[in-house]
């Protein structure tokens, strides 16, 4: 009776030894900045308008930090091991603020909470930030709304602005996370440049009208 009892007592140890998982190599998550630089940087305009940039919202699916790619069939893939350093809408907002602040067209580009009264208010959404490996391209998009601060409860709508950018993705489907992040940053730079053109086009007649008053 003793031998069977010893065999039973040793059974769990044997099973535990058989169920040990094999070692897997640890993989670090790669994190990338999203801060495109203007080709030229200009100082603020001494008598330029003040622009308030409100927080950019994130379109559905862009709340997460993971780098996104879309297949030819339209399937979205989020990379579990490659992500932005912060939520992409927050990074795009900071990039847009710096881009416009160094355009030389504004006296200042301020954030919510500033005590400075703005001449104009810009708000919107990051609508697109993805690679398309089948097309070997990266895409970025912004949907913005520009209003003026007329000290009333219903600001006058100037114009909606849709800004999009694209950039080549070297290697297409074989591009690694670093190449994808670089292409997405370049695509966002194109979208920011398009946003600047749209804003300045909207402000030109409004600014001229204000100076005439």
């Amino acid at each position: 009776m003793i031998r069977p009892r010893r065999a039973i007592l040793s059974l769990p140890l044997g099973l535990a030894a058989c169920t040990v998982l094999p070692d897997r190599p640890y993989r670090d998550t790669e994190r990338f900045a999203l801060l495109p630089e203007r080709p030229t940087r200009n100082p603020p305009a001494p008598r330029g308008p003040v622009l308030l940039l409100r927080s950019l919202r994130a379109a559905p699916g862009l709340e997460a930090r993971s780098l996104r790619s879309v297949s030819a069939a339209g399937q979205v893939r989020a990379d579990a091991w490659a992500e932005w350093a912060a939520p992409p809408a927050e990074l795009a907002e900071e990039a847009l603020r710096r881009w416009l602040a160094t355009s030389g067209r504004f006296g200042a580009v301020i954030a919510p909470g500033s005590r400075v009264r703005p001449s104009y208010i810009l708000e919107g959404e990051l609508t697109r930030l993805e690679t398309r490996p089948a097309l070997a391209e990266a895409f970025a998009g912004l949907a913005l709304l520009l209003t003026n601060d007329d000290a009333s409860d219903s600001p006058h709508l100037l114009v909606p602005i849709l800004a999009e950018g694209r950039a080549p993705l070297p290697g297409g489907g074989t591009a690694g996370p670093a190449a994808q992040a670089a292409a997405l940053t370049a695509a966002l730079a194109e979208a920011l440049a398009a946003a600047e053109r749209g804003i300045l086009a909207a402000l030109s007649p409004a600014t001229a009208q204000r100076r005439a008053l």
Side-chain angles (χ1 to χ4, degrees), residues 23-46:
D23 293 335
R24 295 182 179 180
Y26 176 77
R27 181 176 177 182
D28 287 325
T29 299
E30 296 182 79
R31 293 181 175 85
F32 301 95
L34 182 63
L35 190 59
E37 295 290 338
R38 285 182 61 92
T40 58
R41 298 171 64 87
N42 304 301

Side-chain angles (χ1 to χ4, degrees), residues 36-131:
E37 295 290 338
R38 285 182 61 92
T40 58
R41 298 171 64 87
N42 304 301
R47 303 180 66 179
V50 175
L51 178 68
L52 168 62
L53 175 59
R54 289 179 174 161
S55 299
L56 288 183
R57 300 180 299 275
L62 290 177
E63 305 92 343
R65 299 187 183 189
S66 300
L67 271 61
R68 288 163 45 98
S69 62
V70 181
S71 69
Q75 295 178 330
V76 179
R77 175 182 178 273
D79 196 323
W81 303 104
E83 62 182 27
W84 300 111
E90 294 182 13
L91 297 177
E93 176 192 334
E94 180 61 22
L96 179 58
R97 180 175 286 107
R98 293 191 181 191
W99 190 280
L100 296 176
T102 55
S103 66
R105 302 299 185 96
F106 299 97
V109 179
I110 60 176
S114 173
R115 295 185 179 182
V116 178
R117 179 175 174 179
S119 309
Y120 300 97
I121 300 172
L122 185 67
E123 58 184 296
E125 182 178 76
L126 177 66
T127 59
R128 194 177 188 189
L129 190 65
E130 65 195 32
T131 57

